Amino acid sequence: MEPFEYPAAAHVRRHQPRGYLDVSSFLPWLRDGFCFRCVYCLRREQWDVVASLHIDHFLPVSQFPLQQLSYDNLLYACSRCNLIKGSLAVGNPTHHLLACNVAIAAHGELITADSECLRLIAQLRLNSSEMIHFRRLWLEIIAMARECNPQLHLQLMGFPADLPDLRLLKPPSGNGKPSGIEQSYLVQRERGELPSLY
């Protein structure tokens, strides 16, 4: 697995928690639903000593206040991407940032011919010199760890140790997709089906 390999297909939400009165209650569901990484730049939880991933309102609360507590309007994003996006109207990353639309060059630049994907990359400055440097650095770190330190490679490219147990959570208005819990990463780990790397 490559550290900046975008999903092969459009994201389909496997969870549907409803009725929470505060946004932070959705966090465990989003962590699991977005595979513990930023939906925009693919920064992983495991790469930060201090958690830098947060809940992003795809439709900004300032313009769409009724969507503030709608799970379908929430994304999992790093603090950098969340801050840059702010209240911008951007293309849906779960539809545009896909492996069929975007690739990563050896020097760290995102490459695409898709116009919507290009627009999203420009809006979030995903090809800024800072982000190209970030990707190049992590590509080198991961390659070095793979070659010299398999345990570190597993830590950087594997799942977090603290996978959320969604079975314990009881959304006030229920979960519209209860079958998704059986596909959560913790349950997959318990069944012995979770790959060591992703």
Side-chain angles (χ1 to χ4, degrees):
M1 300 302 295
E2 294 302 320
F4 296 103
E5 185 177 339
Y6 282 93
H11 182 78
V12 176
R13 292 184 187 254
R14 63 181 177 197
H15 307 303
Q16 198 69 55
R18 298 181 293 214
Y20 287 123
L21 298 179
D22 63 291
V23 174
S24 63
S25 296
F26 291 103
L27 187 59
W29 302 93
L30 291 166
R31 287 181 69 218
D32 185 87
F34 286 97
C35 208
F36 312 98
R37 60 188 177 183
C38 175
V39 69
Y40 299 108
C41 74
L42 301 184
R43 178 188 303 258
R44 294 173 181 231
E45 287 183 12
Q46 302 90 288
W47 297 352
D48 290 302
V49 176
V50 177
S52 68
L53 280 89
H54 307 281
I55 297 172
D56 172 45
H57 289 88
F58 179 66
L59 297 175
V61 175
S62 60
Q63 300 166 33
F64 301 89
L66 297 179
Q67 295 298 314
Q68 181 175 9
L69 297 172
S70 169
Y71 185 72
D72 287 338
N73 188 43
L74 303 177
L75 301 173
Y76 196 46
C78 71
S79 55
R80 178 215 172 264
C81 291
N82 194 8
L83 184 64
I84 290 174
K85 179 190 165 286
S87 60
L88 287 175
V90 300
N92 190 331
T94 65
H95 293 163
H96 299 303
L97 293 176
L98 303 176
C100 61
N101 290 341
V102 63
I104 183 169
H107 65 281
E109 182 180 5
L110 296 181
I111 308 293
T112 184
D114 182 85
S115 60
E116 287 297 319
C117 193
L118 273 174
R119 183 171 177 263
L120 182 54
I121 288 169
Q123 286 178 307
L124 292 177
R125 302 196 291 268
L126 293 175
N127 269 340
S128 67
S129 58
E130 167 204 0
M131 286 304 294
I132 289 173
H133 174 74
F134 168 79
R135 283 190 292 271
R136 188 170 57 241
L137 178 67
W138 274 102
L139 287 168
E140 290 176 11
I141 290 169
I142 298 298
M144 195 178 309
R146 182 186 302 122
E147 185 177 326
C148 303
N149 190 335
Q151 190 59 36
L152 177 60
H153 183 253
L154 178 62
Q155 181 181 342
L156 296 173
M157 292 297 292
F159 288 88
D162 67 332
L163 299 178
D165 191 346
L166 303 178
R167 297 167 296 191
L168 303 177
L169 304 180
K170 305 295 180 205
S173 299
N175 178 6
K177 295 184 176 180
S179 61
I181 290 177
E182 290 305 308
Q183 291 307 310
S184 68
Y185 292 109
L186 178 66
V187 174
Q188 288 184 53
R189 177 180 281 171
E190 291 175 350
R191 289 196 303 252
E193 298 171 359
L194 192 68
S196 57
L197 305 176
Y198 76 96

